């Protein structure tokens, strides 16, 4: 079945540091790939997505490129802010049966220190 | 445009009891999916409802059941609660059986004691 593996956290960075969170996936078809963010006490918010190989998703300074050859979708940001502190989830969506469900990784806790 | 709302926000139940969680989908969305998020884990797909019928199910036992109403709001019912059912339950609404972006509610935190 489909699965997503994320780099384990927690990750602690100083403000303005470079961020990379690794994500690899296993899927039988041609999935769409997503990064979601969860702030404390809140639900999930879509951060960015990519629907086909070599697509780059970007939002709020975050970027991720869909790499089919390495089955990866690593999240990057050039300069993190304290407000980026949250849990980040990599996810894929593959058309399994008739329901387009999301399969999530286990999440990476990011803390940015001032 | 209203977002996805879930109720209640927090709930404490005793092992063996039954619980009903509610979700109002975003305006214009006809698909609701439910996820269980255990502490420190990623969300796990429970099932999806599309136009009032179950449209896909994850690896959850039959004591997890649901409904979708004509206005596309939804309920998640869990019978015979177990301690391991303690989790954050997330509802996500979308269009066309999930082929468009899913918008998540803030979740219901269920604690089983």
């Amino acid at each position: 079945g489909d699965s997503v593996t994320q780099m384990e956290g927690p990750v602690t960075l100083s403000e303005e540091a470079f961020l990379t969170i690794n994500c690899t996936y296993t899927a039988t078809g041609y999935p769409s790939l997503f990064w979601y963010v969860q702030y404390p006490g809140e639900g999930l918010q879509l951060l960015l997505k990519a629907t086909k190989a070599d697509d780059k998703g970007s939002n709020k300074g975050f970027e991720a490129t869909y790499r089919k050859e390495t089955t990866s979708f690593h999240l990057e940001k050039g300069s993190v802010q304290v407000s980026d502190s949250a849990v980040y989830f990599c996810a894929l969506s593959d058309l399994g049966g008739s329901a387009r469900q999301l399969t999530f990784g286990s999440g990476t806790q990011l803390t940015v220190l001032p | 445009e209203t977002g996805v709302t879930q109720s209640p926000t927090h709930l404490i139940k005793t092992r063996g009891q039954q619980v009903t969680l509610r979700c109002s989908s975003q305006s214009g969305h006809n698909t609701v999916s439910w996820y269980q998020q255990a502490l420190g884990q990623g969300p796990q797909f429970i099932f999806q409802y599309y136009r009032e019928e179950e449209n896909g199910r994850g690896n959850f036992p039959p004591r997890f059941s649901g409904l979708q109403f004509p206005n596309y709001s939804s309920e998640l019912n869990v019978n015979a609660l177990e301690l391991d059912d303690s989790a954050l339950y997330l509802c996500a609404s979308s269009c066309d059986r999930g082929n468009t972006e899913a918008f998540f509610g803030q979740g219901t935190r269920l604690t089983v004691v």
Side-chain angles (χ1 to χ4, degrees):
Chain A
D2 296 346
S3 66
V4 176
T5 302
Q6 274 183 248
M7 115 188 219
E8 292 191 11
V11 174
T12 302
L13 296 173
S14 297
E15 203 164 26
E16 299 183 4
F18 184 84
L19 169 71
T20 300
I21 301 177
N22 290 337
C23 171
T24 57
Y25 68 89
T26 302
T28 52
Y30 297 93
S32 296
L33 301 175
F34 306 84
W35 277 99
Y36 281 84
V37 59
Q38 188 173 36
Y39 297 101
E42 298 187 12
L44 299 173
Q45 297 176 26
L46 178 64
L47 181 60
L48 54 84
K49 66 180 181 181
T51 58
K52 60 184 188 295
D54 299 326
D55 268 3
K56 177 185 283 189
S58 61
N59 186 26
K60 299 180 181 179
F62 292 89
E63 292 183 341
T65 301
Y66 189 142
R67 300 287 187 200
K68 192 169 185 294
E69 64 276 13
T70 55
T71 62
S72 65
F73 193 55
H74 304 320
L75 182 68
E76 297 182 336
K77 186 175 186 183
S79 176
V80 293
Q81 305 300 312
V82 172
S83 58
D84 294 327
S85 297
V87 181
Y88 291 81
F89 293 93
C90 184
L92 69 82
S93 176
D94 204 356
L95 195 61
S98 60
R100 200 166 184 90
Q101 67 192 62
L102 289 162
T103 300
F104 288 89
S106 58
T108 302
Q109 171 79 56
L110 171 66
T111 302
V112 181
L113 302 176
Chain B
E1 177 176 283
T2 58
V4 179
T5 57
Q6 293 186 242
S7 63
T9 55
H10 296 83
L11 199 53
I12 299 174
K13 288 286 191 178
T14 302
R15 190 171 49 183
Q17 285 188 313
Q18 179 265 345
V19 68
T20 297
L21 310 182
R22 295 178 174 84
C23 172
S24 293
S25 59
Q26 185 159 312
S27 177
H29 286 182
N30 58 16
T31 302
V32 172
S33 302
W34 286 91
Y35 292 82
Q36 180 195 66
Q37 185 180 12
L39 197 62
Q41 300 297 314
Q44 300 288 317
F45 176 73
I46 303 174
F47 44 56
Q48 182 184 89
Y49 277 83
Y50 171 68
R51 293 186 175 179
E52 302 180 55
E53 293 193 359
E54 187 178 292
N55 185 52
R57 188 177 184 92
N59 189 26
F60 280 82
R63 61 189 183 84
F64 286 77
S65 63
L67 283 173
Q68 187 178 32
F69 301 99
N71 66 355
Y72 303 129
S73 66
S74 177
E75 288 183 354
L76 164 65
N77 300 289
V78 187
N79 293 322
L81 284 166
E82 301 176 359
L83 297 180
D84 284 349
D85 296 333
S86 297
L88 181 68
Y89 287 85
L90 295 165
C91 166
S93 78
S94 57
C95 291
D96 193 23
R97 292 177 291 180
N99 280 312
T100 60
E101 179 182 342
F103 290 84
F104 282 82
Q106 292 190 312
T108 295
R109 172 71 64 188
L110 172 64
T111 302
V112 183
V113 298

